[in-house]
Amino acid sequence: MPSILSPYQLGGITLSSRIVMAPMTRARARDLKPDTDTATYYSQRAGAGLIISEGISISEEARGAVFIPGLYTDEQIRGWQAVTAGVHARGGHIFAQLWHVGRAGHVSHNKGKAPVTSSATRGNTMTFALDENGVPARLPQSEPRALDISEMPRLVEEYATAARNAMKAGFDGVEIHGANGYLPEQFINGALNKRTDAYGGSIENRLRLPLEIVDAVAKAVGSTRTGLRVAPFGRFNDMHAYDDEEATWCTLASALSKRQLAYLHLSDQESLGQTALSKDIALKMRKLFGGTMVIAGGFGFESGQKAIDDDRCDLVAIGRPFIANPDLVERYRNGWPVVPNDPSKFYGGQGPAGYIDYPTYPESLKQ
Ligand SMILES: Cc1cc2nc3c(=O)[nH]c(=O)nc-3n(C[C@H](O)[C@H](O)[C@H](O)COP(=O)(O)O)c2cc1C
């Protein structure tokens, strides 16, 4: 089996290794757009074979927390242009993760309007939103409303527009965030989605919106520039078990196999303290999908290589180790030490601390 450090051809781009930087929200966009620190942060990590950006809101309605950057205004697009230029200047590649949180939102994010979802059941999860005094606080998600069937075309179009904006911003592709209990999964999950129209009920109906999104985005930017991230059997964001769960994920993998996507990205939430993604399901989905498979969740150099050796995936996405080790791939290549993370610095914060002040290993020797 190939080395995790060897190049990989992903559609039209050649990745320098099979190590992907997993999408990681940092909640630092005070003006909802990336700034020069964001550009520095990503360019420092351009040694990843592929970077998947933090989740980026496709619209105001889509945003789930304070300080999340968007991709729906000219200013935001300009901010991302600086990010992608910095990554490309250092020989890297970067996809934009397109994010709509659905019900996992709050009225303070969208001018008092309720978050939208498949069926109007509130998630038992907290979100970082603005309290009645406009101060950021951990608050329960707001009461959502079910999307009307007449709204589906405009929702799908918002994903396509965000994908086109990602191209204007210079991204190499986009990843649709269908994992972790956000909007697409709120339609897929049969325990939450109790709709009686064409978007609920049967597996085919529950997969309708996610597949419409995939098709619209692929049409907008090209299928080989379109990836999808899902978290089969994930319970994050108050997702519950349902009867035909395995059949649902397998049907999705089969449906995607016909679409020539850049990749299918499975997020295993076990390393985040949730239930594990079973190897059996992941292998079944890999077989049914047949294209490039990315797996994320708790990997390092050796375990990542093992996942490739076991033919579980083509690319290994690594998250948290990239935060404090901007030159993670170089550290792996040279057998240099990987420093631990400080989770208190993951979200929020302003300025360089905990964001762009992590040295490369050679720099650390000079300090
Ligand atoms: C700080 C932080 C932010 C994250 N933000 C996102 C996100 O925006 N989109 C997403 O799909 N997953 C997100 N995740 C999940 C990661 O992509 C990844 O799946 C998870 O961290 C497990 O991988 P790891 O064990 O290598 O860190 C986030 C995780 C962390 C720790």
Side-chain angles (χ1 to χ4, degrees):
M1 280 294 170
S3 161
I4 192 170
L5 296 173
S6 65
Y8 185 82
Q9 196 63 35
L10 185 74
I13 56 177
T14 306
L15 311 184
S16 56
S17 76
R18 291 159 200 247
I19 298 174
V20 174
M21 177 172 152
M24 279 182 293
T25 289
R26 302 301 307 273
R28 285 173 157 266
R30 303 236 149 206
D31 303 325
L32 308 184
K33 59 175 198 249
D35 60 16
T36 51
D37 283 354
T38 323
T40 302
Y41 168 74
Y42 283 108
S43 75
Q44 287 173 336
R45 288 154 182 80
L50 175 69
I51 296 174
I52 301 168
S53 78
E54 63 207 278
I56 307 177
S57 316
I58 62 163
S59 64
E60 264 188 280
E61 176 193 85
R63 187 158 58 89
V66 288
F67 312 143
I68 305 300
L71 198 41
Y72 49 90
T73 70
D74 289 341
E75 265 196 305
Q76 290 166 340
I77 295 170
R78 270 197 297 278
W80 287 114
Q81 277 166 347
V83 171
T84 61
V87 171
H88 292 151
R90 299 189 66 180
H93 300 285
I94 180 166
F95 273 38
Q97 193 186 51
L98 304 184
W99 193 14
H100 192 311
V101 302
R103 70 172 181 172
H106 191 266
V107 288
S108 67
H109 300 319
N110 191 19
K111 303 188 184 85
K113 292 186 207 151
V116 298
T117 186
S118 55
S119 298
T121 303
R122 191 177 182 154
N124 183 20
T125 312
M126 306 293 274
T127 178
F128 262 100
L130 300 178
D131 67 15
E132 57 277 15
N133 303 314
V135 177
R138 244 170 92 78
L139 299 170
Q141 293 171 3
S142 301
E143 201 63 55
R145 72 171 177 88
L147 279 157
D148 188 82
I149 194 163
S150 65
E151 293 177 271
M152 300 307 177
R154 73 98 182 144
L155 191 79
V156 170
E157 189 47 36
E158 281 168 8
Y159 274 93
T161 302
R164 278 190 288 268
N165 289 345
M167 293 300 113
K168 283 187 203 156
F171 283 99
D172 298 289
V174 296
E175 174 177 284
I176 298 160
H177 192 348
N180 303 349
Y182 296 114
L183 187 73
E185 196 178 340
Q186 291 164 24
F187 277 78
I188 294 171
N189 185 292
L192 172 63
N193 181 351
K194 297 291 177 198
R195 298 178 74 95
T196 52
D197 61 14
Y199 291 86
S202 65
I203 292 177
E204 192 193 351
N205 282 358
R206 283 183 281 110
L207 293 178
R208 188 177 309 282
L209 182 68
L211 289 173
E212 284 181 356
I213 293 168
V214 166
D215 289 340
V217 167
K219 191 163 171 227
V221 303
S223 63
T224 59
R225 289 203 184 90
T226 303
L228 173 68
R229 185 176 223 216
V230 290
F233 289 81
R235 299 290 174 246
F236 192 68
N237 264 317
D238 208 17
M239 291 287 106
H240 293 272
Y242 49 101
D243 280 346
D244 46 8
E245 202 162 0
E246 179 170 336
T248 301
W249 293 114
C250 288
T251 306
L252 177 67
S254 304
L256 294 172
S257 73
K258 305 175 190 100
R259 289 171 156 87
Q260 307 290 317
L261 297 187
Y263 61 78
L264 176 61
H265 184 174
L266 301 187
S267 160
D268 181 345
Q269 301 170 344
E270 189 181 20
S271 69
L272 299 175
Q274 305 275 328
T275 45
L277 166 65
S278 98
K279 281 194 180 157
D280 181 47
I281 300 291
L283 282 171
K284 273 189 194 151
M285 289 182 73
R286 174 162 176 67
K287 226 172 164 184
L288 290 165
F289 174 59
T292 296
M293 175 75 87
V294 187
I295 299 195
F299 288 107
F301 181 49
E302 270 120 36
S303 53
Q305 181 64 57
K306 179 144 189 352
I308 290 176
D309 290 344
D310 293 347
D311 202 21
R312 290 177 56 206
C313 61
D314 303 288
L315 302 173
V316 176
I318 298 181
R320 287 162 294 179
F322 266 107
I323 291 181
N325 300 273
D327 56 339
L328 186 68
V329 176
E330 279 311 292
R331 287 177 191 245
Y332 289 157
R333 268 190 211 285
N334 294 294
W336 295 335
V338 172
V339 299
N341 275 302
D342 175 358
S344 71
K345 301 212 169 106
F346 284 176
Y347 300 105
Q350 278 178 291
Y355 194 44
I356 55 172
D357 62 344
Y358 294 109
T360 61
Y361 180 67
E363 284 165 356
S364 73
L365 297 178
K366 291 184 211 139
Q367 285 178 351

